[in-house]
Amino acid sequence: MSSPHPIANTPDHSGLPDSILQILTGMLPPSRPMALHEPVFGEHEAEAVAAAVRSGWVSSVGPEVTAFEAALRGITGAAHAIAVSSGTSALHLSMMGADVGPDTEVLMPAVTFIASANAVSYTGAIPHFVDAEPEQFGIDPVRLRHHLQDIAVKRDGLLVNRITGRRIAAILCVHVFGHPARIVELRAVADEYALPLIEDAAACLGSRQDNRHLGTFGSIGAISFNGNKIVTTGGGGAVVTDNDRIAARIRHLATTARLASPVGDFVHDVVGYNYRLPNLNAALGLAQLTQLDAFVETKRKLAQRYKDAFAGLKGLRVVTEAAGAHSNYWLNALVLEGPLAGLRDNILRVTQQAGILTRPLWHPLHRLPIYQGAPRMDLSVTEDLHARTINLPSSVSVLGAPG
Ligand SMILES: *Cc1c(COP(=O)(O)O)cnc(C)c1O
C-alpha cells in the first residue's frame, strides 16, 4: 500500500501533488482560505490609528511620520529614511536619486515583482535583464560580471552597452522572498564598473546579511509596507540611504519639489511627486514595528517547520537563506527538481482547490509583452526557476497568535 510520503523520484510522480497537499493540510491550521500572506493586527494597531485620527494629524506630515522615519533609521542603520506612499514610489525615487534617466539602461533581474521594472520605466530608462542564481533567486554576480565584460564599453567616461549604444546607468538588485541576494559580490561588480547599486529590499524589513540590514549595501535601498509585507502601513514604503545629497533630493522630489519660502509661497523648482506617507499610515506602521522582531522570529520558525515537513519528500527543496544571512523569510518557496517541474500547475491547482493559496513565481518580466524588446542576457536560470517554484502560505498568523 502507498505510504503517506511516496518517494517522488520513482517513474510515477502522479502522487506528489496529493502528498504535498497532505503535508500542508497536516501542518497548517484549519482556517480556509489560507492566504499566501496576510497582516497581523492587534488592539495596539487599532489604538494607534485612532489616536492619529483624534490628533488631527492624518495627512502627509505629522509626528508619526517623523517617528516612523527615526525607527527605520534605527532598524536599518541607514543615515536617512524617507517614508513614502508605496514600495513602488520608493523604487521610482531611488531611480531618480541615482540619476537614472531617459534612454539609459538599468541592469536588473527578470525574477521580481513588476514594480521593480515599472520604476525603471517611469524614468524613461530601459530594463536590461540579467539572470538569477538558483539558490536565493537574486542576480548571479559571476554571470553579471561576464555579461558586462561582453557588452559594456567605456565611451567618453560613460559605461555604454556596445550593442544598443545606450548608457548603462545602474544595477537594481532584488532580494527575493526576503532572502539576501549575493549582495557583497554584487557590490563588488558595481564598484568595478562604477555603477550605482540600488536595492529593491521591498519585502526585506528585518533581513540582514553579515549583520547589516538589506537596503544599506548599495547607494539607495527601497522598502515596502504594503499589506502583504512582513510589516504594513496599509500602503507605504521607504527609501534608505547614507548619502546626504541623495536623501535631500529624494525628500524634495517626494514632496512636490516645493522650495522653502518665508511666506509659504508655492514655488517648485522641478517636476515633483506627491509621494509622502500619510501620518495615519505611519501611525499604523509604528505600532507594527514594535512587533518586527517577534514577526521575524515566527517566520523563521515557520520556515523551519516547512523544511522539516518536506524533508521526507524526495525531488523538491525548500528555499533557504545563504551563509551569513539572517532572512525574514517573507515568502516560503518549494522548488521542484528535475522532471517534477511538470507537476507545478497540478500542485498549484490541488492546493488552491483545497483553499491553500499557493502561487507560482512571478512571471519572468522579459516574457511580458511590454518588455519583450528589452535587452537581456541568457535567462535560462530565470526560466527554469519560474517553471519549478511554488510559494507557500507564509503569514505570521500561520504559527503565531495575533497581537
Ligand atoms: C512588494 C514589492 C514591491 C512593491 O511594493 P508596493 O509597496 O506594493 O508598491 C516591489 N518589489 C518587490 C520585490 C516587492 O515584493
Side-chain angles (χ1 to χ4, degrees), residues 328-368:
N328 71 4
Y329 279 87
W330 174 52
L331 283 188
N332 287 285
L334 277 181
V335 182
L336 304 165
E337 314 271 18
L340 296 188
L343 292 174
R344 187 197 73 165
D345 289 358
N346 206 337
I347 294 165
L348 288 168
R349 213 170 298 120
V350 165
T351 49
Q352 289 170 5
Q353 274 165 4
I356 297 169
L357 303 186
T358 52
R359 195 187 72 176
L361 184 63
W362 303 290
H363 200 76
L365 298 189
H366 66 285
R367 293 201 348 219
L368 300 178

Side-chain angles (χ1 to χ4, degrees), residues 86-88 91 112-113 115-116 174 200 202-203 224 226 229 236 330:
S86 68
T88 306
L91 283 165
T112 182
F113 180 52
S116 325
V174 180
D200 180 339
S224 167
N226 190 38
K229 300 305 197 278
W330 174 52

